[in-house]
Amino acid sequence: MEYLPISIRISDARILIVGGGKVATHKAQILHRFTDKATVIAKEISDEIKALPFTIIERPFREKDLDGINLLFVVTGDHELNHRIKDLASKRGILTSVCDDPAACDFISPAIYRQDNLTIAVGSDSRDVKRSIRVRNRIQQAIENGELDIE
């Protein structure tokens, strides 16, 4: 196991998503289940992200965008740019998740089921994401069908 499953308080965190495409949209929608406070920066940002209550900055990433950031999701679709941003963030001690590159990640996002104040996270150290999602879905189905009591 390479990753310690922990929960991070994000109520006061400054969160940045760099990227505005399909994967960034997915990450933003997941993040929105936990907070309304995040900034998204990209040259082009999907309408789905724009519909979220996040701060939207439609322009290329700049190094100073990392000022004051605590948590970073890099999902540009450009492998070289992702790694350049990750390197800049590492020098600042910013926890960073680089899309589709677990070896470059300080943290990864598990498959999450959330109901009220209960959060169930299923992870595979990013080795078998589809399996994590299947297990999460089975847990969700068991809860919703009353087969697993969480009260």
Side-chain angles (χ1 to χ4, degrees):
M1 177 178 233
E2 295 179 47
Y3 296 94
L4 173 67
I6 61 172
S7 296
I8 298 173
R9 182 179 43 192
I10 60 171
S11 56
D12 296 322
R14 294 200 51 213
I15 303 168
L16 176 62
I17 299 172
V18 180
K22 181 179 177 181
V23 178
T25 299
H26 179 70
K27 292 289 183 190
Q29 289 170 333
I30 291 170
L31 186 60
H32 179 246
R33 293 167 41 202
F34 295 88
T35 185
D36 289 342
K37 300 175 188 174
T39 299
V40 180
I41 297 175
K43 285 189 251 183
E44 295 179 26
I45 298 175
S46 73
D47 290 338
E48 293 87 353
I49 292 176
K50 289 178 182 178
L52 299 173
F54 294 157
T55 300
I56 304 297
I57 302 173
E58 207 157 6
R59 63 158 169 75
F61 168 81
R62 299 176 188 150
E63 183 175 350
K64 71 179 203 167
D65 294 331
L66 297 175
D67 292 350
I69 297 300
N70 307 110
L71 200 62
L72 173 64
F73 295 86
V74 184
V75 287
T76 70
D78 178 332
H79 187 74
E80 282 186 36
L81 178 59
N82 287 352
H83 282 271
R84 186 173 70 80
I85 295 170
K86 165 59 176 158
D87 290 343
L88 292 169
S90 291
K91 291 175 185 172
R92 295 170 178 244
I94 300 169
L95 290 176
T96 305
S97 175
V98 180
C99 172
D100 295 332
D101 193 351
C105 293
D106 297 316
F107 70 94
I108 54 174
S109 299
I112 298 169
Y113 172 76
R114 183 161 184 174
Q115 182 185 68
D116 302 320
N117 66 342
L118 177 70
T119 301
I120 299 171
V122 181
S124 64
D125 286 357
S126 285
R127 289 191 173 94
D128 195 346
V129 174
K130 290 180 180 178
R131 181 176 177 217
S132 298
I133 292 168
R134 283 193 311 271
V135 170
R136 185 264 329 264
N137 289 348
R138 290 179 67 195
I139 292 168
Q140 179 177 348
Q141 184 178 24
I143 291 169
E144 290 173 357
N145 290 339
E147 299 164 11
L148 179 61
D149 183 18
I150 58 170
E151 298 302 320

